[in-house]
Amino acid sequence: MKMGDNTAAAKNQFPPHSFSIVSDVPPQANSKWLDDDGKLKRTGTVWTASAHIITAVIGSGVLSLAWAVAQLGWVAGPSVMFLFSLVTYYTSTLLSACYRTGDPVNGKRNYTYMDAVRSNLGGGKVKICGFVQYLNLVGVAIGYTIASSISMMAVKRSNCFHSSGGKDACHMNANPYMIAFGVVEILLSQIPDFDQLWWLSILAAVMSFTYSTIGLGLGIAQVVQNGKIMGSMTGISIGTVTETQKIWKSFQALGAIAFAYSYSLILIEIQNTIRSPPAEFKTMKKATLISVSVTTIFYMLCGCFGYAAFGDMSPGNLLTGFGFYNPYWLLDIANVAIVVHLVGAYQVYCQPLFAFVEKAAAQKFPDSEFITKDIKIQIPGCKPYNLNLFRSAWRTIFVIFTTVVSMLLPFFNDIVGLLGALGFWPLTVYFPVEMYIAQKKIQKWSTRWLCLQILSAACLIITIAAAAGSIAGVIDDLKTVKPFHTTY
């Protein structure tokens, strides 16, 4: 990639690691400032990687798990969550082993998921991977915009309910809140390198624990107040819903749980922030174990106690669906935490997409000053900010686009569930399995090969079922949607 003749300028142009574009600096093996690929040393640790993963995984979707368990029941609900955690952990370790091609310690680095697919599989699979990955990232950005607006409105609505004693329905328009979220994301998106936003990722991870813990505490309190555990072994009963609705909602619950565990689409990008030694795949394996374990514990507790508290009537979101009304101030704290978390999670997911477009533009137009030139802006008391006109324009346009689509299609949470279902099998299972088989040269029809293929086939079936449930939900939403006039 031709980035200009001046090495120092190239390094400033595209920050050296994390999710950013990196310049091709000639390797200097003995330099204490450079890694083995000639780029500035990566500084990530098992804890920063864990924070990134937790920020990406524990989204506000944790609060919908009570609804998911309600569709499946006490037997299938927790079992499905546990199985998804095992599959996610196992396939994530397979994927992390593909960060380097050849030797796992000194082999060629793959900076993105697509790079890993290109190195191990090649051909048309690279384009398929890129299409699915970046489509999911766009979908997540839109879904997070909608989810944040719902939480912001929940703060105002809980106070409205409190002041009116529950007599006022407290309906309000979602558009101003989506626009406010978009403005914040436009500002944060101008920070070029996600490694410079490690503090936001850690803050977001803390926020996810905050609102998850509040949701869990309120669920436990409700169970104590009820004096019994609600729910049944098979989930929501026929009569409350029809047989057909029961099937579709059960499939939709699979999609919700699958989407809740999805972070493989940004795993390689997170791994590219980790310093070595030790080998990156070892650090990533530890970070994955910590993150998936913590996530699963929270998912189990929130989902199960939420279902135990409300049974078949479990709301889609414990904190914004007003499964709880009091204490209203605690609900306000929880919903503010959700918004802060989603602000950070939006950046975690969008940075790989930003980097992909900026890299492609730089390769296509290497001599364009609009794309490659940085303008240094002096900020008193801080380091100079490198303003890149293309980066600023492209990222601003992207955030505006996701905000407008969120207002146009306010039911996009169901479409995001569909994207999550469709992305789960290819990104979390299929590509990691196929790359691992290719890298380790596992013999076809051997016992290990058969086991990996059976795992992939089983997850494909689950993905198809979850996608079908999500499509049914979208069809229902289309009957009542009013673009740009959404109220809650």
Side-chain angles (χ1 to χ4, degrees):
M1 177 170 63
K2 182 180 177 184
M3 302 307 299
D5 298 325
N6 190 299
T7 299
K11 282 192 284 186
N12 286 332
Q13 214 168 283
F14 297 107
H17 44 97
S18 190
F19 298 122
S20 62
I21 313 302
V22 286
S23 57
D24 292 326
V25 183
Q28 299 176 24
N30 296 323
S31 174
K32 63 179 181 179
W33 304 109
L34 303 179
D35 269 332
D36 57 357
D37 58 348
K39 307 186 192 305
L40 293 184
K41 278 192 175 295
R42 295 153 175 85
T43 58
T45 65
V46 65
W47 299 113
T48 60
S50 297
H52 287 323
I53 295 171
I54 290 172
T55 299
V57 178
I58 303 184
S60 59
V62 65
L63 301 171
S64 68
L65 289 176
W67 176 89
V69 175
Q71 311 312 307
L72 300 171
W74 279 118
V75 176
S79 298
V80 168
M81 278 195 281
F82 184 67
L83 287 173
F84 269 109
S85 70
L86 290 180
V87 170
T88 301
Y89 170 71
Y90 179 67
T91 57
S92 294
T93 59
L94 300 185
L95 183 57
S96 65
C98 300
Y99 172 65
R100 288 183 183 264
T101 300
D103 186 82
V105 178
N106 300 310
K108 173 184 171 294
R109 294 175 186 263
N110 296 304
Y111 302 116
T112 67
Y113 199 127
M114 282 183 68
D115 288 343
V117 174
R118 184 179 292 107
S119 297
N120 291 282
L121 300 177
K125 292 181 179 179
V126 179
K127 293 182 179 179
I128 294 172
C129 170
F131 176 77
V132 175
Q133 180 185 12
Y134 295 123
L135 181 63
N136 268 269
L137 292 176
V138 173
V140 168
I142 295 170
Y144 279 2
T145 302
I146 296 170
S148 67
S149 70
I150 293 172
S151 288
M152 283 187 273
M153 287 187 294
V155 173
K156 190 170 182 179
R157 288 184 70 199
S158 68
N159 287 278
C160 174
F161 274 121
H162 178 73
S163 61
S164 68
K167 296 177 182 178
D168 189 343
C170 301
H171 291 302
M172 58 193 66
N173 193 293
N175 291 346
Y177 299 93
M178 293 184 188
I179 293 171
F181 183 81
V183 169
V184 173
E185 293 302 341
I186 286 174
L187 295 174
L188 289 176
S189 295
Q190 304 311 313
I191 299 177
D193 191 340
F194 190 77
D195 215 38
Q196 299 170 27
L197 277 175
W198 58 268
W199 57 270
L200 180 60
S201 195
I202 292 176
L203 175 62
V206 171
M207 291 298 102
S208 69
F209 285 126
T210 300
Y211 66 73
S212 297
T213 302
I214 292 173
L216 172 60
L218 291 173
I220 294 173
Q222 186 67 44
V223 172
V224 173
Q225 182 178 327
N226 292 342
K228 63 178 181 178
I229 294 176
M230 307 285 280
S232 65
M233 292 296 107
T234 56
I236 192 167
S237 57
I238 305 299
T240 305
V241 294
T242 64
E243 290 185 9
T244 303
Q245 287 175 327
K246 169 74 173 177
I247 293 171
W248 290 130
K249 288 182 179 294
S250 295
F251 288 166
Q252 208 170 345
L254 293 177
I257 296 173
F259 185 71
Y261 274 104
S262 295
Y263 75 96
S264 298
L265 68 170
I266 56 172
L267 184 146
I268 295 292
E269 284 82 352
I270 292 175
Q271 192 166 349
N272 192 43
T273 70
I274 296 174
R275 67 188 179 201
S276 63
E280 297 87 355
F281 78 92
K282 292 182 178 180
T283 302
M284 198 63 187
K285 188 173 182 179
K286 291 180 182 178
T288 299
L289 179 60
I290 292 170
S291 305
V292 173
S293 298
V294 170
T295 298
T296 302
I297 291 171
F298 265 79
Y299 280 6
M300 287 285 190
L301 291 174
C302 291
C304 292
F305 273 104
Y307 183 43
F310 296 103
D312 289 355
M313 296 297 103
S314 296
N317 188 315
L318 288 178
L319 298 179
T320 63
F322 291 96
F324 302 104
Y325 291 90
N326 288 300
Y328 76 99
W329 57 269
L330 190 59
L331 291 174
D332 289 351
I333 292 173
N335 280 298
V336 168
I338 291 174
V339 173
V340 174
H341 171 259
L342 291 176
V343 166
Y346 186 104
Q347 291 298 314
V348 170
Y349 273 101
C350 289
Q351 286 291 338
L353 178 59
F354 292 157
F356 172 74
V357 171
E358 288 154 23
K359 179 179 179 180
Q363 289 176 327
K364 184 74 174 177
F365 306 102
D367 299 321
S368 170
E369 290 192 355
F370 175 72
I371 294 174
T372 60
K373 184 179 179 181
D374 279 358
I375 301 171
K376 287 190 177 294
I377 299 177
Q378 298 294 333
I379 302 175
C382 301
K383 294 181 180 179
Y385 174 71
N386 294 320
L387 174 66
N388 180 280
L389 295 178
F390 174 74
R391 182 179 65 226
S392 297
W394 139 244
R395 295 187 180 194
T396 299
I397 291 170
F398 174 82
V399 176
I400 292 173
F401 168 76
T402 57
T403 304
V404 170
V405 174
S406 299
M407 294 188 290
L408 181 64
L409 303 173
F411 60 89
F412 210 86
N413 276 333
D414 284 324
I415 294 181
V416 168
L418 173 61
L419 293 174
L422 295 176
F424 173 73
W425 176 69
L427 297 177
T428 302
V429 182
Y430 174 76
F431 283 118
V433 165
E434 292 301 314
M435 286 192 289
Y436 186 76
I437 288 174
Q439 190 176 66
K440 300 299 181 182
K441 297 180 173 58
I442 298 174
Q443 187 175 356
K444 197 172 184 179
W445 303 112
S446 65
T447 301
R448 194 174 188 185
W449 184 89
L450 282 172
C451 289
L452 288 170
Q453 295 299 335
I454 290 170
L455 171 65
S456 183
C459 290
L460 173 60
I461 293 171
I462 292 172
T463 290
I464 292 172
S470 296
I471 290 172
V474 170
I475 292 172
D476 283 340
D477 287 329
L478 283 171
K479 297 175 183 177
T480 57
V481 67
K482 292 182 179 180
F484 298 113
H485 292 89
T486 304
T487 58
Y488 291 91

